[in-house]
Amino acid sequence: MQEEQANDSSELIAGLSEIYGLRFLRFVLALPESWEVGDGINTQQSNSVAALLSWAQAFQEMDPPNRWINLASLATRRMVSDKESNACVLRKQCGGQMEVPQSGSDDVFAILVEYARDVYPAFLINHPEETRIPGSPFISPDQQGGDTEFYRAVLRDDQLKYLFPSELETDPEELSLDELRRVDSLAYFEAGQGGSFQLPLFAFHLLNSAYMRCVVTGNDSYEAYIAAVARSLSDARSLAAGRTAKVPVVLGFSNISITGTESIALPGSTLRKVAPEDVIFLPPDVKVDALLVFDMPMKIAYKGRHPKGDEDDSNEAWHQASEKFRKWRESLQWTADCHRLAFMLSDRETHRSGVVQVLQIVVNPLQGNLSMSWADSHVYTLASELRIEAGSIEDITRWVGQVTSNHPRSLRVALRRILSAASSRTDPSDALVDAVLAWENIFSDSPETSLRVCGSLALLLEPSDREKRRILLRELNEIYGTRSAIVHGNAKEPTDETVRKHGDRALEVAVEAMRRLYRNPELLKSSSASARGRDVLLGLVEIY
């Protein structure tokens, strides 16, 4: 009989594990990470299992997405206790703890951190496939108590109150709950997000963004989550006061493999493998091999009263913010491109290795849903896969530090054209043109562009051997001629074989030239391509 009961209990827990997920069960039942379905549980944990079963049975007729939403909502509600959510009560009864830090005189944090404790278990509930909408987990603070005081605390806060300009002269103590629920503003962020910003959703934004910060950085433990909530609140205050906050950005790359380690700490960023937990924000049809995670400074681009249907005011606000959107996107793309170039320069096995960016995510503390963009399908590339092994980590770390810190804006065309030639172009003619444009951005002026560009490259790559330099110059001039024939439409077009051969060699020369510039910092820092070419051709700098 006891054996039958044990089997029944194991089957029950196995069923609940499919509904809630093993992580949720371990957390709510206060079980160790090593616990697996089939292992024993005590009497109190059995009682909690019965409660979880009753929750699941209440929504068993619903489709998986709606069942998930209702289970998450039920887990966060304060029905058993007016001080803790239902899931927290179950965990406490099983002997687990959920400590919250002391807030001192910070009224906003005091309430927010209790909300955070209440909602954390619900983040661990399994997301059914149908609900894996990137960055949109269903979590909100309990709406049955404490809201009025929380709203008023936000409007009293010396910095947060500036999120709602129309209420700056209002005494929040005189506002009813209904009036507080109508408090809003219009806010656009440099990252491009924005629109109506409502006081009732303030906690939702902070709590959701804090959890997503944990997920993208690879640690969503309860302790890490509470720390992230404190960080999100601090960032929100900085943004509200017109200052800068550093927000997590995630870039998804394909055409890259990492072996021997799960993550690599780079200067100012982390490159890591895709983890199982990342499924809650990764688009299902996009092939992502690795994630680059780093912080980007961001400010509020526009903040003002809500236009309440006034289309002219809304359009004017968008217009004021749009230039800041553009500059922020350019800054982000620069950071992404510098990392991609550094990865490429670190690979001594081939000049054709190139990672492809297929995903971009911004975790904004004042936006509960992620800002995302991604490629619609698998990206085709002729580039070789970048293979990172234990022995190459040191080189990659060094190159990322050099390129992200020192790459001059005067070489931004060369950077982008090298990446394009290696990773984006599928037509050999386009790849050849891109690679030679990179040459020109390194060494170019008029007149006599061919001599300046090819002569400078020959000196840079063969500074000590005249005969090799003469042979290389002849080869570079031939490649330059092929490029000119393509661009200017000469009557005698080069053969496909010539274009492919010259395109590959042009890229090889561009990549090696970029490496040599980093070996010669004086050239790297030249004020222009013209100055750089002059210094090389006239022997004004020593080349190493």
Side-chain angles (χ1 to χ4, degrees):
M1 179 66 72
Q2 289 181 344
E3 184 177 347
E4 290 179 0
Q5 290 176 341
N7 289 336
D8 291 343
S9 176
S10 294
E11 290 178 6
L12 171 60
I13 293 176
L16 292 177
S17 177
E18 291 183 5
I19 295 172
Y20 291 101
L22 194 54
R23 291 192 70 206
F24 178 84
L25 289 184
R26 285 173 178 159
F27 188 83
V28 171
L29 301 180
L31 294 164
E33 290 298 311
S34 59
W35 183 89
E36 298 289 344
V37 174
D39 295 345
I41 57 176
N42 61 34
T43 301
Q44 187 53 59
Q45 289 163 339
S46 295
N47 293 337
S48 294
V49 165
L52 294 175
L53 176 61
S54 68
W55 295 2
Q57 289 175 336
F59 309 119
Q60 64 182 349
E61 300 302 324
M62 295 182 175
D63 58 72
N66 280 312
R67 182 175 63 188
W68 168 69
I69 289 173
N70 279 277
L71 288 176
S73 178
L74 185 56
T76 64
R77 295 219 171 265
R78 296 179 178 179
M79 298 171 65
V80 179
S81 166
D82 61 357
K83 295 182 179 180
E84 296 174 310
S85 69
N86 297 336
C88 294
V89 170
L90 292 183
R91 176 174 169 83
K92 195 171 184 179
Q93 289 175 349
C94 292
Q97 297 296 321
M98 296 184 72
E99 300 294 336
V100 295
Q102 296 300 310
S103 61
S105 59
D106 190 340
D107 295 338
V108 175
F109 184 69
I111 301 174
L112 186 67
V113 77
E114 291 188 356
Y115 284 158
R117 176 203 59 206
D118 283 354
V119 304
Y120 176 74
F123 281 116
L124 306 181
I125 296 177
N126 264 356
H127 289 218
E129 292 291 339
E130 299 92 329
T131 59
R132 284 177 180 161
I133 303 170
S136 301
F138 174 84
I139 297 294
S140 61
D142 185 273
Q143 296 294 313
Q144 296 182 0
D147 287 347
T148 301
E149 185 50 39
F150 179 69
Y151 299 154
R152 288 173 176 164
V154 172
L155 295 179
R156 286 195 306 265
D157 190 271
D158 290 340
Q159 298 171 81
L160 296 176
K161 64 183 180 182
Y162 289 105
L163 289 171
F164 306 98
S166 62
E167 305 299 328
L168 290 177
E169 303 301 323
T170 302
D171 181 358
E173 305 303 321
E174 295 180 357
L175 297 178
S176 67
L177 178 57
D178 285 343
E179 290 171 323
L180 290 166
R181 285 174 173 167
R182 291 195 294 270
V183 171
D184 61 6
S185 63
L186 187 66
Y188 292 110
F189 303 89
E190 287 183 326
Q193 303 160 298
S196 177
F197 190 82
Q198 301 169 339
L199 177 59
L201 292 179
F202 180 67
F204 166 85
H205 292 312
L206 290 181
L207 297 180
N208 272 28
S209 64
Y211 184 71
M212 295 314 301
R213 179 192 290 268
C214 291
V215 173
V216 301
T217 54
N219 180 6
D220 67 341
S221 67
Y222 175 70
E223 292 75 19
Y225 176 59
I226 293 299
V229 170
R231 168 73 182 274
S232 289
L233 179 57
S234 176
D235 288 344
R237 285 181 166 131
S238 294
L239 292 169
R243 300 193 300 273
T244 295
K246 290 188 175 181
V247 301
V249 173
V250 183
L251 302 181
F253 293 131
S254 67
N255 209 42
I256 178 173
S257 66
I258 302 175
T259 57
T261 184
E262 295 300 312
S263 66
I264 303 169
L266 301 171
S269 61
T270 299
L271 182 68
R272 67 176 180 85
K273 290 182 178 180
V274 175
E277 294 76 15
D278 297 332
V279 71
I280 70 170
F281 67 82
L282 290 179
D285 298 328
V286 179
K287 182 181 182 295
V288 181
D289 296 327
L291 300 172
L292 181 71
V293 185
F294 56 93
D295 284 343
M296 274 279 294
M298 186 195 74
K299 298 175 71 174
I300 293 180
Y302 174 88
K303 179 179 58 184
R305 69 172 185 83
H306 198 286
K308 305 296 184 183
D310 189 328
E311 187 173 340
D312 290 340
D313 283 357
S314 182
N315 291 339
E316 176 60 25
W318 178 264
H319 178 73
Q320 290 184 36
S322 59
E323 180 62 15
K324 295 179 180 179
F325 296 163
R326 183 188 64 79
K327 290 182 178 179
W328 197 88
R329 287 194 299 267
E330 286 183 353
S331 179
L332 175 55
Q333 193 59 56
W334 175 258
T335 301
D337 289 346
C338 283
H339 277 84
R340 292 176 63 205
L341 178 66
F343 296 159
M344 194 173 185
L345 296 180
S346 72
D347 190 349
R348 286 288 184 173
E349 298 297 321
T350 175
H351 58 280
R352 298 209 62 90
S353 68
V355 301
V356 181
Q357 183 181 330
V358 295
L359 173 71
Q360 176 182 298
I361 298 172
V362 179
V363 184
N364 182 344
L366 290 177
Q367 293 285 288
N369 297 326
L370 296 178
S371 172
M372 299 187 67
S373 59
W374 64 90
D376 291 332
S377 59
H378 179 72
V379 176
Y380 178 72
T381 179
L382 294 175
S384 301
E385 182 182 62
L386 176 67
R387 298 178 181 178
I388 302 177
E389 300 172 345
S392 60
I393 291 176
E394 184 177 348
D395 277 346
I396 282 187
T397 302
R398 176 173 57 84
W399 275 108
V400 167
Q402 286 186 311
V403 178
T404 57
S405 299
N406 301 319
H407 199 79
R409 295 281 175 171
S410 62
L411 287 173
R412 62 185 179 275
V413 172
L415 179 156
R416 291 171 181 168
R417 293 294 181 169
I418 288 173
L419 295 176
S420 176
S423 304
S424 302
R425 298 301 194 184
T426 56
D427 186 315
S429 298
D430 293 336
L432 171 58
V433 171
D434 274 340
V436 175
L437 280 172
W439 294 7
E440 292 180 340
N441 187 226
I442 296 172
F443 298 115
S444 181
D445 201 355
S446 58
E448 300 177 355
T449 300
S450 176
L451 174 60
R452 289 178 180 272
V453 173
C454 297
S456 298
L457 282 169
L459 269 168
L460 179 67
L461 299 179
E462 293 293 350
S464 58
D465 191 316
R466 291 182 180 180
E467 184 58 29
K468 287 183 178 179
R469 186 160 64 245
R470 184 180 292 108
I471 294 171
L472 178 58
L473 178 59
R474 189 183 308 122
E475 180 187 16
L476 297 181
N477 280 327
E478 186 178 351
I479 293 172
Y480 206 94
T482 302
R483 176 261 190 187
S484 297
I486 293 171
V487 172
H488 300 300
N490 289 7
K492 186 179 179 180
E493 293 186 0
T495 65
D496 291 345
E497 181 182 356
T498 297
V499 171
R500 283 193 294 271
K501 177 183 175 182
H502 284 181
D504 186 68
R505 178 59 173 152
L507 176 60
E508 183 180 18
V509 168
V511 171
E512 185 56 32
M514 192 65 75
R515 289 195 185 104
R516 295 295 179 94
L517 290 182
Y518 275 91
R519 191 186 299 175
N520 296 269
E522 190 175 349
L523 285 176
L524 185 70
K525 297 176 182 177
S526 294
S527 59
S528 65
S530 174
R532 187 179 296 112
R534 178 202 62 205
D535 290 347
V536 169
L537 288 174
L538 297 181
L540 300 181
V541 295
E542 196 74 28
I543 299 175
Y544 301 98

